[in-house]
Amino acid sequence: MKPTNTAVIFDIDGTLVESSGFEDDLYIAAVRDVLGDVCIRKAWNTYRHVTDSGILRQIMEEHRIRGKDRIREVRSRFGDKVGQYFRDGGECNPTIGAIDLIDELRAAPGFAVGFATGGWGQTARMKLEHAGFNLKHAVLASSDDGHERTVIMRKCLDTLDAKGNSFQRIVYVGDAEWDVRATRELGWHFIGVGPRLKGRCTCWVEDFSNQKVFMEMLHAR
């Protein structure tokens, strides 16, 4: 059997699922439900760490709000809102070709697949499951594991390593500039997805409709 030597780790929002149409509003609403009418910037990239916990920590810091219980309250409230959104018939569609690609990579020799998201774990799983992904035995690291994106990504890799794998190549797949920065900091390979990164990274795909092209990029040097 060919050894597993390539780790492919995926961001979730904007990469595997189309969630920006509802998630940002629900996150902001959850924060204000718990913290009151705090100032929240429109551009997420102006925060030091663009993760659910990272943004929340900075908002609390800027408004001199303390307490880990507040973070837990916001996370719980956000989970309730996302759950209600889905119960009300809300959509969270997969990126074109994403489900088939994940299934293909899981079945192919030499690859290990993980998910590393700046979102919290509960809501990340809700979105993936609602979109139709199979999460049985999935390795998923999230904002529950740290507020820095690189910490979350490293946690995912460490979990994959713990399964007895030995990786010669690590590839992160994401859709935003903060994914590019984090990948560069870790020294991993990167594949960009979607309109935000078009023309801004060496390896880029619009979506996952062409699996052959994506697989070629996984091996590109």
Side-chain angles (χ1 to χ4, degrees):
M1 180 180 292
K2 185 177 179 181
T4 302
N5 55 24
T6 302
V8 189
I9 300 176
F10 290 85
D11 171 52
I12 295 176
D13 298 297
T15 300
L16 295 179
V17 300
E18 300 170 4
S19 58
S20 61
F22 67 92
E23 185 176 51
D24 290 358
D25 290 342
L26 296 183
Y27 178 85
I28 291 169
V31 171
R32 287 185 169 148
D33 280 356
V34 176
L35 302 184
D37 190 24
V38 293
C39 177
I40 301 175
R41 303 172 196 169
K42 294 182 179 180
W44 297 129
N45 63 357
T46 61
Y47 287 95
R48 290 191 298 270
H49 302 293
V50 188
T51 64
D52 282 359
S53 58
I55 292 170
L56 179 57
R57 284 171 179 267
Q58 189 168 342
I59 291 171
M60 292 173 64
E61 174 187 308
E62 291 172 352
H63 290 82
R64 299 182 181 179
I65 300 171
R66 297 183 180 180
K68 291 184 179 180
D69 57 323
R70 296 292 185 90
I71 295 175
R72 289 191 291 267
E73 287 178 36
V74 172
R75 181 176 58 190
S76 177
R77 186 67 59 91
F78 181 49
D80 290 344
K81 288 181 180 294
V82 172
Q84 188 62 54
Y85 169 81
F86 289 139
R87 287 191 294 274
D88 290 342
E91 294 185 348
C92 181
N93 296 316
T95 301
I96 296 172
I99 294 174
D100 289 341
L101 175 65
I102 296 294
D103 290 344
E104 177 71 19
L105 286 172
R106 284 172 166 164
F111 294 100
V113 176
F115 305 101
T117 174
W120 282 306
Q122 177 194 14
T123 44
R125 289 181 176 275
M126 284 185 193
K127 289 176 286 187
L128 288 172
E129 289 174 348
H130 189 85
F133 290 86
N134 179 6
L135 294 186
K136 187 177 181 179
H137 307 307
V139 172
L140 190 154
S142 72
S143 214
D144 297 320
D145 298 301
H147 62 275
E148 297 181 38
R149 190 166 295 269
T150 52
V151 171
I152 296 167
M153 293 161 67
R154 188 74 222 186
K155 172 65 176 180
C156 184
L157 181 64
D158 289 345
T159 304
L160 292 173
D161 279 336
K163 292 180 174 290
N165 298 309
S166 178
F167 300 119
Q168 298 175 359
R169 185 176 177 82
I170 307 161
V171 181
Y172 190 66
V173 186
D175 74 304
E177 59 190 78
W178 45 82
D179 296 317
V180 177
R181 289 197 301 268
T183 307
R184 187 181 297 123
E185 184 176 337
L186 290 171
W188 297 359
H189 299 276
F190 183 74
I191 297 177
V193 182
R196 286 195 290 190
L197 291 182
K198 185 175 183 180
R200 303 183 66 180
C201 52
T202 303
C203 292
W204 176 86
V205 293
E206 183 175 357
D207 52 41
F208 303 108
S209 56
N210 193 327
Q211 291 187 21
K212 181 180 178 181
V213 169
F214 187 86
M215 296 299 283
E216 289 174 350
M217 287 185 177
L218 284 181
H219 296 97
R221 296 295 177 182

